[in-house]
């Protein structure tokens, strides 16, 4: 193989030779006026010209290049030349042998089809960062080489060692993966490991972090049983990504659980959270929805701080989107939040979610919410099944670019034997002091009809007597007694028109009062009190039912 002839055919070689021929100045013409006299003197004083690139022996140059160089020709890519660096990396290659047999490293890297493509198209191609058999990483550039009409064309391979760059990039990717795994682990540890399951609701939740190229965000959710049959539900999204967003999320979630124990209205909980978010980080904001379900009311009372609307599907399949009231995100300060409500009767399903489920770069947010409404209208089954269907319908995959959190709650419609386990009974407390014996008689009759064991019956009547007596002494009309049983507990609640909340205290031996709440706290599984929306308060206690 005449390598000199091959080098003369490399792209650009002939053009540069022709350009030099056209611009070379003949020594005989330097004084005929074509070049100024000063220029002639300058040229005469110039040092001797160095050899032009075309005058250098191409093989010697390529042999000294640290990059790997190989030249193949013909449809079978017969070896015409490999430089010293190539031989050092992969061994000596016999000239004239086809690449498929003599260059196994190229076959291993999948370069042979690329050589065919370059030979057919006449255009160069590059294959980046491929690890070769010698353990090094190379970037291969394949350039077509023109030949005479009676010979096949060829391909010049030029491989640059990029091992250091590839290893640095892999170390960076590994570091990013570790950071992301740390943030995901932190966030998952801050989310509830197991959702509380209230008596009257069936609840499921799903959380999916953003894809591998995005740091996790600050999405969170929680379910908090408040006692007395009531349940608080919360979902939120801290703006930003990474460990910082996850840490802020954890602080807010902890604060929500603490504020929920105060049994405050939803808008008051958000008011407290707003101030706390400002203290945690003045530059960090978060959206949040806090809602409370009371089975006696059949409604979901909620307050929103810049979050997306709750969706509720009723028993007929119609989907309702909650609107106002919605305030600004937490951490902005200076806003008075307010509460709203939406029906959530038996057979209804409600969905709380973060923006990762419905927000897309090229779509309006309302379009995403409308698509979620359509998906919810046709989603049936358990809460977990509904969760999974909504996530799939939104096109959320493992490489989704944003965190997604979904909370689904159902208020099941109970019939038959299941319905017998959920009962309500209420009595208006009228007539002054004679209301106490009537309340005891009413409670005794109800608990007997519900076929409670004698011990639980007696404890229930005693708790009823103490709560009613406390209300008659310290409360104001209207007063009401309500008994409720579920499949797990008996709940006794007394409401009145005075908003002063009772507290448990130690009664002195000579005190004539102050023991009622202490007695209730001692015999009951739990007790509490809260202010009611219309003014007044509710005091309740509950007893766990024996299993079996």
């Amino acid at each position: 193989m005449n390598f000199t002839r091959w080098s003369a055919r490399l792209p650009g070689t002939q053009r540069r030779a022709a350009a030099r021929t056209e611009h070379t100045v003949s020594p005989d013409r330097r004084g005929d006026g074509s070049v100024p006299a000063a220029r002639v003197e300058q040229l005469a004083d110039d040092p001797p010209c160095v050899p032009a690139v075309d005058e250098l022996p191409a093989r010697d140059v390529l042999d000294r290049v640290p990059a790997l160089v190989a030249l193949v020709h013909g449809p079978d890519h017969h070896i015409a030349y490999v430089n010293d660096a190539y031989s050092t990396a992969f061994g000596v290659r016999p000239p004239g042998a086809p690449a498929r047999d003599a260059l196994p490293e190229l076959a291993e890297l999948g370069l042979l089809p690329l050589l065919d493509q370059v030979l057919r198209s006449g255009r160069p191609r590059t294959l980046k960062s491929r690890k070769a058999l010698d353990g090094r990483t190379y970037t291969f550039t394949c350039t077509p080489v023109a030949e005479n009409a009676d010979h096949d064309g060829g391909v010049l391979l030029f491989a640059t060692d990029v091992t250091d760059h590839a290893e640095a990039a892999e170390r960076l990717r590994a570091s990013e993966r570790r950071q992301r795994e740390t943030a995901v682990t932190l966030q998952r540890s801050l989310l509830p490991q197991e959702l509380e399951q209230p008596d009257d609701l069936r609840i499921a939740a799903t959380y999916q972090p953003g894809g591998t190229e995005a740091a996790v965000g600050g999405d969170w959710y929680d379910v908090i049983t408040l006692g007395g049959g009531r349940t608080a539900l919360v979902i939120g999204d801290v703006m930003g990504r990474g460990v910082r967003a996850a840490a802020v999320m954890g602080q807010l979630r902890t604060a929500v659980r603490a504020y929920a124990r105060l049994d405050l209205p939803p808008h008051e909980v958000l008011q407290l959270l707003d101030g706390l978010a400002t203290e945690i980080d003045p530059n960090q904001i978060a959206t949040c929805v806090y809602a409370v379900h009371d089975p006696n009311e059949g409604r979901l009372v909620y307050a929103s701080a810049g979050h997306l609307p709750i969706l509720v599907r009723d028993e007929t399949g119609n989907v309702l989107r909650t609107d106002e009231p919605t305030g600004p995100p937490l951490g902005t300060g200076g806003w008075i939040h307010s509460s709203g409500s939406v029906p959530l009767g038996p057979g209804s399903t409600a969905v709380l979610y973060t923006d990762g489920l419905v927000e897309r770069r090229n779509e309006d947010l309302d379009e995403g919410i409308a698509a979620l409404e359509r998906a919810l209208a046709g989603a049936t089954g358990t809460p977990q099944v509904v969760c999974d269907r909504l996530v799939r319908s939104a096109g959320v995959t493992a490489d989704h670019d944003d965190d997604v959190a979904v909370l689904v709650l159902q208020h099941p419609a109970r019939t038959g034997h299941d319905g017998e386990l959920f009962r309500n009974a209420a009595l208006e407390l009228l007539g002054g002091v004679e209301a106490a014996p009537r309340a005891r008689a009413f409670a005794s009759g109800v608990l007997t009809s519900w076929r409670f064991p004698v011990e639980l019956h007696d404890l229930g009547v005693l708790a009823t007597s103490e709560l009613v007596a406390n209300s008659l002494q310290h409360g104001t009309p209207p007063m009401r007694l309500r008994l409720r049983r579920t499949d797990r507990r008996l709940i006794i609640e007394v409401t009145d028109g005075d908003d002063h909340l009772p507290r448990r205290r130690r009664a002195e031996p000579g005190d004539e009062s102050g023991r009622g709440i202490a007695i209730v706290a001692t015999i009951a599984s739990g007790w509490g009190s809260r202010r009611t929306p219309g003014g007044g308060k509710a005091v309740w206690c509950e007893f766990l039912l024996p299993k079996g």
Side-chain angles (χ1 to χ4, degrees), residues 227-246:
R230 302 166 75 249
T231 306
L233 307 115
V234 59
I235 193 165
D237 184 2
V238 177
M239 301 298 105
R241 293 184 176 278
V243 175
R244 178 58 183 167

Side-chain angles (χ1 to χ4, degrees), residues 142-455:
C142 303
T143 306
V145 179
E147 250 295 4
N148 294 331
D150 56 345
H151 291 84
D152 294 323
V155 179
L156 178 69
L157 282 82
F158 190 91
T160 306
D161 189 337
V162 294
T163 304
D164 292 342
H165 297 284
E167 291 177 350
E170 180 56 35
R171 287 194 296 271
L172 179 60
R173 286 192 293 268
S175 176
E176 291 175 347
R177 285 195 298 268
R178 287 193 297 270
Q179 291 179 6
R180 182 178 182 277
E181 289 170 358
T182 299
V184 171
T185 301
L186 173 62
Q187 184 164 25
R188 287 194 182 279
S189 67
L190 294 173
L191 291 174
Q193 303 304 302
E194 184 176 352
L195 287 178
E196 298 182 22
Q197 293 293 336
D199 297 357
D200 296 273
L201 298 176
R202 297 295 175 261
I203 301 177
T206 294
Y207 168 73
Q208 181 166 319
T212 55
E213 299 301 323
V216 296
D219 294 16
W220 94 93
Y221 56 83
D222 209 349
V223 177
I224 309 163
T225 53
L226 302 177
R230 302 166 75 249
T231 306
L233 307 115
V234 59
I235 193 165
D237 184 2
V238 177
M239 301 298 105
R241 293 184 176 278
V243 175
R244 178 58 183 167
V248 173
M249 174 271 290
Q251 295 178 77
L252 291 178
R253 176 176 174 258
T254 302
V256 168
R257 294 193 70 88
Y259 295 149
R261 299 305 177 190
L262 301 176
D263 216 339
L264 300 171
H267 65 276
E268 293 189 23
V269 172
L270 291 191
Q271 209 70 49
L272 293 172
L273 280 178
D274 187 25
L276 179 64
T278 304
E279 294 177 7
I280 293 174
D281 188 342
N283 299 318
Q284 194 83 54
I285 63 174
T287 63
C288 179
V289 166
Y290 182 86
V292 175
H293 176 256
D294 189 336
N296 297 310
E297 303 294 336
R299 303 186 69 81
L300 194 66
V301 181
Y302 67 92
S304 174
H307 205 78
L308 299 173
I310 301 173
L311 301 183
V312 178
R313 186 190 67 199
D314 62 20
E315 64 277 7
T316 65
N318 295 323
V319 177
L320 173 65
R321 181 194 306 189
T322 62
D323 294 318
E324 298 294 338
T326 299
L330 303 176
T332 56
W335 182 267
I336 303 299
H337 292 274
S338 57
S339 297
S341 67
V342 60
L344 190 70
S348 298
T349 300
V351 178
L352 292 77
Y353 52 96
T354 58
D355 57 2
L357 185 66
V358 295
E359 190 173 31
R360 300 295 180 269
R361 285 191 176 93
N362 300 323
E363 295 182 7
D364 186 82
L365 183 60
D366 283 337
E367 295 179 5
I369 298 176
L372 182 62
E373 288 179 352
R374 293 190 293 271
L376 177 60
T380 57
T382 65
Q384 190 59 58
V385 170
V386 174
C387 252
D388 296 340
R389 290 190 61 178
L390 296 181
V391 171
R392 285 197 304 270
S393 68
V396 177
T397 58
D399 57 353
H400 192 61
D401 61 357
D402 194 7
D403 290 18
V404 173
V406 184
L407 185 64
V408 174
L409 57 139
Q410 292 179 346
H411 187 186
R414 295 180 173 88
T415 57
H417 175 70
D418 193 30
E420 293 293 323
L421 299 178
F422 290 79
R423 294 291 192 89
N424 285 280
L427 173 68
E428 299 295 333
L429 299 176
L430 303 174
V433 293
E434 64 271 16
R438 278 194 291 113
R440 287 193 292 270
F442 174 79
S444 178
V446 169
L447 298 180
T448 300
S449 68
W450 289 348
R451 299 178 181 177
F452 282 165
V454 174
E455 181 181 359

